[in-house]
Amino acid sequence: MTERLALFPGSFDPFTLGHLDIARRASTLFDRIEVAVAVNRSKQPLLPADRRCDLVRECTRDLPNVSVVSFEGLLADFARVRGAVAVVRGLRQVGDFEYEMRMAQANRRLHDGYETVFLLPSEEHAAVHASIVREIHAWGGDISSFVPSPVLAALAAGRRP
Ligand code: PNS
């Protein structure tokens, strides 16, 4: 039987406990998950793409069917090239749905070859947004309840003089 690959795409800037929760849940549903780290050269990220990939790899080390790739360009094109049967996205709150649905429908027009699967994180992670984590970090706040320990360590190291 052919392997059923799902992509879990995102900016992961940084990878949060909510992302980890979704990767873990997705890993039980598909043969293989590729966490697909988006490279967007028009945006200045907190962490460069290769660092984000390394950190996702470290955080998902205990999930044997999860690997990490980076991609640039359209997700629909990347999903076609990888032969993915699904794209997984986390839905934290109802507010996420409108944007996610717009993106999923546009992507389906570009490549109608996979299903978009929305997964809910556990309640404790429902309010975790990478943008909020970036903001708290920028002001020197405590992000330890939002991100896995490798990400915490990397961001703390980046802050040291
Ligand atoms: O973690 P994010 O920032 O919510 O992830 C968004 C991401 C990277 C999945 C989305 O912006 C994306 O797929 N970017 C690649 C370019 C693309 O295909 N855009 C969507 C066309 S509708």
Side-chain angles (χ1 to χ4, degrees):
M1 221 177 80
T2 44
E3 194 180 58
R4 298 178 73 75
L5 167 72
L7 298 181
F8 174 30
S11 306
F12 305 118
D13 188 34
F15 192 69
T16 66
L17 286 169
H19 293 135
L20 181 56
D21 183 288
I22 296 296
R24 201 178 290 287
R25 289 171 194 279
S27 72
T28 67
L29 298 176
F30 297 94
D31 297 322
R32 219 157 52 76
I33 303 292
E34 283 183 352
V35 180
V37 177
V39 179
N40 183 346
R41 287 178 205 274
S42 64
K43 268 198 208 165
Q44 178 62 47
L46 175 63
L47 294 164
D50 56 345
R51 192 72 189 105
R52 278 179 275 150
C53 287
D54 288 345
L55 286 170
V56 179
R57 230 167 256 129
E58 226 179 301
C59 296
T60 56
R61 223 178 356 209
D62 66 323
L63 302 173
N65 64 338
V66 174
S67 55
V68 183
V69 288
S70 64
F71 78 102
E72 191 166 6
L74 290 172
L75 174 61
D77 290 341
F78 188 65
R80 183 192 290 118
V81 168
R82 302 305 293 164
V85 299
V87 164
V88 171
R89 293 280 291 169
L91 275 188
R92 292 158 301 201
Q93 286 128 352
V94 192
D96 286 342
F97 186 68
E98 204 177 319
Y99 165 70
E100 291 297 335
M101 187 157 167
R102 247 185 290 135
M103 193 162 72
Q105 284 179 331
N107 283 339
R108 181 177 272 175
R109 268 196 207 189
L110 298 174
H111 170 51
D112 192 3
Y114 67 81
E115 296 301 326
T116 300
V117 175
F118 296 119
L119 296 180
L120 304 183
S122 75
E123 263 177 82
E124 60 181 309
H125 302 314
V128 179
H129 289 240
S131 58
I132 290 176
V133 174
R134 287 196 300 273
E135 169 106 15
I136 296 172
H137 173 70
W139 290 102
D142 177 12
I143 55 168
S144 59
S145 68
F146 296 96
V147 297
S149 48
V151 176
L152 187 64
L155 292 179
R159 189 172 269 304
R160 265 179 233 126

